[in-house]
C-alpha cells in the first residue's frame, strides 16, 4: 500500500516497511534482522581497525558516519549530526506529517506575483469557467410532484419534536420530522408544546432529541417528502432572509470583473476545531499549551484518558487536520483563481485571526466576511446567536459560483446537496484531497508549475464528483439525485451552452 504514490512520480512516497524493503519472501523479517546485524558487525570491525592505528583517528568520525549512513539506509534514518563529539542520529519525520505550509508559501509567492502581473485583467481567471464536466443530461427538481393536491386524510394525532443542535442539525430534524409525520399520518407541531408532560395527552408523541432518528433507507415517497421540506418549504425568517439577500447582492456587485461570480469558503479554523483535531501547526509550545486548555475546557478529561495517544503527525497524513487560511489560499491560487477573485469566508472566530488570515488576504485582496459585507448595525440583531449568523453564511455560500469545503460537518453537506438541487445536479463544490495536500505542503522545494498541475487535477476531480448520485446509506440531503431530481431529455453540450 505504501509503495503507491498518490501524487504520481513527482511526489515522495511514504517510506515502505522494512519487511518490504529487504525482500518479499516469507522470511523477509528474518532477512531484515540478519542484514542489520551484519551491518552492525561491519561498522564495529571498521571502527576497531581505525582505533588500532592511532594515525587514522582523525578519520574515525568520517568513517563512523559513513557506516551509519549505510546502516540507516535499511531503517529510513536520514539525518546525522555531531554535537560535542557525540554522533546524533535523527529519524526523519514521515512525509506529510509536519506543517511546512508557510515555507511553501514563501517559496511560491514570487511566482504568484509574477503570474498576476502578467495576467490580462482577470480574463484568465478560472472562476469564469470553473466547471467543465458538461453533463449530457441535466437534473431538475421533481420532489414536489409527490405532494398530494387532494384533501388530506384525517390526522392520526400529533407529533412533537425538539429540533436540537446547530443550524443544519435543526434543519435535518425538521425535515425528517415532516417525513415521519407523513409516515404516521400525524400533525407535526413546531415549536414544542409539552402537552404530554402536563395533560398526558395520548394523541400526542414527543421525541426529544430528534436528530438522526429517521433512517436513510425509506420509501421513495418519503424521500421526496424530505426533499420537498428541505429544498422547497423551509425558509429563514424574514430578518435573516432580507439581510442575507442583500449580502449576496453586494458580493455580486463586488465581483463585476468576473461577471458577478465569486468563491465562498467554509473555513473551519476556530480554536475548538483546531483543539479537537489534535493537530499541530507552527505555534510551538504556546500553541500546545493553548490547545491543552481548550480541550480540557470543552471536553473535560476526554483527551487525557488512560491509553489515549495523540498523534498530530498521523492526523495530518490522514487528512484530518483543518486547513489553515494560508493552505486554502495556496490551493485556490494553484487552481487558477487569481488575485482579482472575490472570496467570501464563512467562519466563526478564527484561531489567532490576525496571524493566520494575513496570508489569505495577501493572496486574495478582495476577501469579504459577514463582518465586512454587512454593517455593525445590520448585524447587531444577530450577534450572540450563532445559528442566525450561520444562516447568513449559508445563504451567501449557496449562491456562489464555487463553494470550498475544508472540513466535514452538516454545514458543507447540506450546502452541497442544496447546490446540486439548485444548479442542475452539480454541487459546484471544491472538496480537497487533504491527504494529497499534506504531502504537497510538506515540500518547500516544490515548483510552481508542478504545484499548479496538482491543484488543477484536484479541481477537475471535484468537477467530476459534483454530479455524484446517492449511494446506499447516503444522505438525501447531500445527494438529492435520483430520489428528488429527475433527468431531462438528452441535450448536446453545444446547444446546452448556447441556451
Amino acid at each position: 500500500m505504501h509503495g503507491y504514490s498518490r501524487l504520481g512520480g513527482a511526489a515522495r512516497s511514504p517510506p515502505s516497511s522494512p519487511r518490504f524493503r529487504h525482500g518479499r519472501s516469507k522470511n523477509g523479517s528474518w532477512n531484515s534482522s540478519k542484514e542489520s546485524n551484519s551491518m552492525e558487525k561491519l561498522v564495529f570491525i571498521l571502527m576497531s581497525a581505525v582505533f588500532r592505528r592511532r594515525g587514522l583517528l582523525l578519520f574515525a568520525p568520517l568513517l563512523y558516519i559513513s557506516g551509519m549512513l549505510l546502516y540507516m539506509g535499511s531503517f529510513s534514518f536520514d539525518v546525522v549530526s555531531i554535537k560535542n563529539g557525540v554522533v546524533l542520529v535523527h529519524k526523519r519525520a514521515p512525509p506529510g506529517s509536519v506543517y511546512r505550509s508557510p515555507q511553501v508559501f514563501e517559496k511560491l509567492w514570487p511566482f504568484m506575483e509574477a503570474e498576476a502581473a502578467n495576467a490580462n485583467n482577470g480574463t484568465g481567471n478560472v472562476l469564469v469557467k470553473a466547471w467543465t464536466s458538461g453533463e449530457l443530461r441535466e437534473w431538475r427538481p421533481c420532489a414536489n410532484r409527490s405532494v398530494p393536491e387532494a384533501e388530506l386524510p384525517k390526522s392520526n394525532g400529533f407529533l412533537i419534536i425538539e429540533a436540537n443542535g446547530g443550524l443544519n442539525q435543526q434543519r435535518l430534524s425538521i425535515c425528517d420530522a415532516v417525513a415521519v409525520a407523513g409516515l404516521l399520518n400525524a400533525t407535526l407541531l413546531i415549536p414544542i408544546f409539552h402537552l404530554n408532560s402536563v395533560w398526558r395527552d395520548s394523541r400526542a408523541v414527543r421525541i426529544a432529541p430528534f436528530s438522526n432518528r429517521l433512517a436513510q433507507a425509506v420509501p421513495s415517497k418519503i424521500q421526496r417528502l424530505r426533499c420537498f421540506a428541505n429544498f422547497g418549504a423551509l425558509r429563514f425568517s424574514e430578518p435573516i432572509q432580507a439581510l442575507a439577500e442583500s449580502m449576496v447582492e453586494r458580493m455580486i456587485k463586488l465581483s463585476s470583473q468576473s461577471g458577478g461570480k465569486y468563491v465562498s469558503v467554509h473555513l473551519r479554523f476556530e480554536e475548538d476545531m483546531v483543539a479537537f483535531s489534535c493537530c499541530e501547526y507552527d505555534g510551538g509550545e504556546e500553541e500546545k499549551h493553548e490547545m491543552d486548555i481548550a480541550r480540557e475546557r470543552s471536553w473535560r478529561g476526554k483527551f487525557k484518558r488512560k491509553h489515549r495517544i495523540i498523534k498530530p503527525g498521523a492526523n495530518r497524513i490522514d487528512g484530518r487536520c483543518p486547513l489553515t487560511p494560508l493552505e486554502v489560499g495556496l490551493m485556490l491560487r494553484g487552481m487558477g483563481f487569481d488575485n482579482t477573485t472575490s472570496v467570501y469566508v464563512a467562519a466563526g472566530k478564527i484561531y489567532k485571526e490576525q496571524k493566520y488570515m494575513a496570508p489569505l488576504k495577501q493572496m486574495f485582496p478582495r476577501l469579504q466576511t459577514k463582518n465586512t459585507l454587512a454593517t455593525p448595525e445590520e448585524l447587531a440583531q444577530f450577534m450572540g446567536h450563532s445559528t442566525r449568523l450561520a444562516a447568513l453564511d449559508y445563504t451567501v455560500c449557496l449562491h456562489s459560483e464555487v463553494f470550498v469545503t475544508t472540513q466535514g460537518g452538516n454545514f458543507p453537506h447540506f450546502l452541497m446537496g442544496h447546490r446540486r438541487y439548485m444548479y442542475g445536479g452539480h454541487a459546484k463544490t471544491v472538496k480537497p484531497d487533504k491527504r494529497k495536500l499534506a504531502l504537497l505542503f510538506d515540500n518547500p522545494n516544490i515548483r510552481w508549475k508542478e504545484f499548479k498541475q496538482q491543484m488543477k487535477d484536484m479541481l477537475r476531480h471535484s468537477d467530476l464528483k459534483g454530479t455524484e448520485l446517492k449511494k446506499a446509506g447516503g444522505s438525501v440531503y447531500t445527494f438529492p439525485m435520483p430520489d428528488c431530481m429527475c433527468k431531462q431529455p438528452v441535450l448536446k453540450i453545444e446547444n446546452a451552452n448556447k441556451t
Side-chain angles (χ1 to χ4, degrees):
M1 290 292 287
H2 293 298
Y4 173 71
S5 171
R6 297 173 63 86
L7 304 181
R12 295 173 295 174
S13 301
S16 57
S17 68
R19 180 168 65 90
F20 286 97
R21 280 199 299 271
H22 295 301
R24 299 185 178 271
S25 64
K26 294 181 179 179
N27 297 323
S29 299
W30 164 250
N31 291 338
S32 171
S33 176
K34 188 176 181 180
E35 250 185 63
S36 62
N37 290 335
S38 300
M39 192 63 68
E40 288 176 355
K41 290 179 181 179
L42 177 60
V43 172
F44 178 77
I45 292 171
L46 287 172
M47 292 302 297
S48 299
V50 168
F51 279 105
R52 287 195 192 99
R53 297 177 178 269
R54 295 184 179 179
L56 296 178
L57 282 177
L58 292 176
F59 296 98
L62 180 61
L63 289 173
Y64 181 79
I65 291 172
S66 300
M68 288 302 295
L69 286 173
L70 289 171
Y71 175 77
M72 287 185 292
S74 303
F75 288 86
S76 71
F77 296 115
D78 59 359
V79 181
V80 179
S81 62
I82 300 178
K83 185 176 181 180
N84 298 327
V86 179
V87 178
L88 301 176
V89 180
H90 307 278
K91 187 176 182 180
R92 186 186 184 282
S97 63
V98 179
Y99 178 68
R100 294 193 176 97
S101 302
Q103 293 93 309
V104 176
F105 172 63
E106 185 179 355
K107 169 71 182 298
L108 298 183
W109 173 243
F111 297 96
M112 295 184 215
E113 282 191 304
E115 193 170 79
N118 296 328
N120 185 17
N121 297 324
T123 55
N125 193 338
V126 74
L127 182 60
V128 180
K129 49 181 181 180
W131 311 115
T132 58
S133 60
E135 281 286 299
L136 293 178
R137 294 175 184 265
E138 289 192 356
W139 293 83
R140 289 288 180 266
C142 58
N144 56 346
R145 295 181 185 176
S146 66
V147 180
E149 297 180 2
E151 185 179 349
L152 293 172
K154 184 179 179 181
S155 173
N156 288 330
F158 297 98
L159 174 64
I160 307 170
I161 64 109
E162 286 188 6
N164 60 304
L167 171 69
N168 290 287
Q169 193 172 4
Q170 291 178 12
R171 190 183 190 107
L172 182 151
S173 295
I174 293 171
C175 295
D176 278 1
V178 170
V180 170
L183 281 169
L184 300 176
N185 188 31
T187 302
L188 178 64
L189 297 181
I190 300 175
I192 304 164
F193 294 94
H194 296 280
L195 302 178
N196 64 328
S197 61
V198 180
W199 295 306
R200 303 193 180 280
D201 192 334
S202 58
R203 286 186 65 214
V205 178
R206 177 173 175 263
I207 304 175
F210 185 75
S211 61
N212 299 316
R213 293 301 182 94
L214 181 62
Q216 291 298 327
V218 295
S220 297
K221 179 181 178 181
I222 302 302
Q223 291 288 49
R224 288 193 291 270
L225 189 57
R226 272 173 153 172
C227 286
F228 180 69
N230 183 43
F231 302 122
L234 276 183
R235 295 285 189 278
F236 292 126
S237 65
E238 183 58 32
I240 294 174
Q241 196 67 32
L243 179 55
E245 288 176 357
S246 296
M247 292 169 66
V248 171
E249 291 175 3
R250 292 167 194 173
M251 279 303 299
I252 292 173
K253 288 180 180 178
L254 291 169
S255 311
S256 58
Q257 194 166 346
S258 55
K261 298 178 178 180
Y262 60 92
V263 174
S264 63
V265 179
H266 184 221
L267 189 58
R268 295 307 313 272
F269 202 68
E270 302 93 346
E271 184 180 69
D272 62 336
M273 178 58 67
V274 177
F276 186 79
S277 70
C278 295
C279 296
E280 291 181 356
Y281 294 89
D282 58 349
E285 292 301 319
E286 180 183 354
E287 177 191 299
K288 292 179 182 179
H289 180 65
E290 290 174 345
M291 293 299 101
D292 285 340
I293 293 175
R295 281 190 284 267
E296 189 60 25
R297 180 175 60 244
S298 300
W299 303 278
R300 296 186 183 278
K302 178 176 181 178
F303 293 91
K304 291 185 177 181
R305 291 174 184 168
K306 191 177 180 181
H307 304 307
R308 178 158 193 148
I309 301 175
I310 296 176
K311 297 181 178 180
N315 291 344
R316 182 167 298 281
I317 292 172
D318 289 341
R320 298 178 183 175
C321 294
L323 293 180
T324 64
L326 180 150
E327 291 173 327
V328 172
L330 279 172
M331 178 182 72
L332 289 175
R333 287 296 292 267
M335 287 177 174
F337 299 96
D338 62 27
N339 61 352
T340 67
T341 306
S342 293
V343 175
Y344 180 83
V345 173
K349 182 175 174 54
I350 300 297
Y351 173 60
K352 294 195 173 180
E353 182 175 353
Q354 188 172 0
K355 170 187 175 181
Y356 284 108
M357 286 296 289
L360 180 58
K361 292 177 181 178
Q362 185 177 340
M363 286 181 273
F364 293 97
R366 300 184 180 186
L367 184 144
Q368 301 288 335
T369 66
K370 52 181 168 286
N371 295 314
T372 62
L373 206 57
T375 65
E377 293 75 21
E378 288 175 321
L379 290 174
Q381 60 180 318
F382 305 113
M383 299 308 292
H385 301 278
S386 58
T387 54
R388 299 177 191 178
L389 293 172
L392 297 176
D393 280 339
Y394 186 96
T395 305
V396 180
C397 291
L398 181 64
H399 294 281
S400 63
E401 176 66 12
V402 176
F403 171 61
V404 182
T405 173
T406 62
Q407 196 76 359
N410 286 321
F411 189 96
H413 290 159
F414 264 82
L415 262 171
M416 282 189 279
H418 205 155
R419 288 164 66 82
R420 283 188 173 102
Y421 195 80
M422 284 181 60
Y423 300 122
H426 197 291
K428 292 190 172 186
T429 298
V430 174
K431 191 176 180 183
D433 182 342
K434 293 202 291 183
R435 292 182 178 180
K436 185 174 184 178
L437 287 177
L439 292 172
L440 289 170
F441 291 147
D442 191 31
N443 181 13
N445 296 317
I446 191 169
R447 295 182 179 181
W448 177 235
K449 184 177 180 180
E450 178 191 342
F451 182 79
K452 284 199 303 180
Q453 186 58 54
Q454 296 287 351
M455 293 301 98
K456 288 177 181 177
D457 289 345
M458 195 174 292
L459 179 60
R460 279 193 290 270
H461 183 72
S462 292
D463 187 15
L464 293 173
K465 297 286 282 185
T467 53
E468 197 172 6
L469 303 183
K470 187 175 79 68
K471 299 176 182 177
S475 169
V476 74
Y477 302 118
T478 306
F479 304 100
M481 300 112 69
D483 297 279
C484 308
M485 301 184 74
C486 303
K487 283 185 178 180
Q488 300 301 295
V490 177
L491 295 174
K492 291 185 178 179
I493 298 177
E494 295 83 359
N495 295 334
N497 290 334
K498 288 178 183 178
T499 57

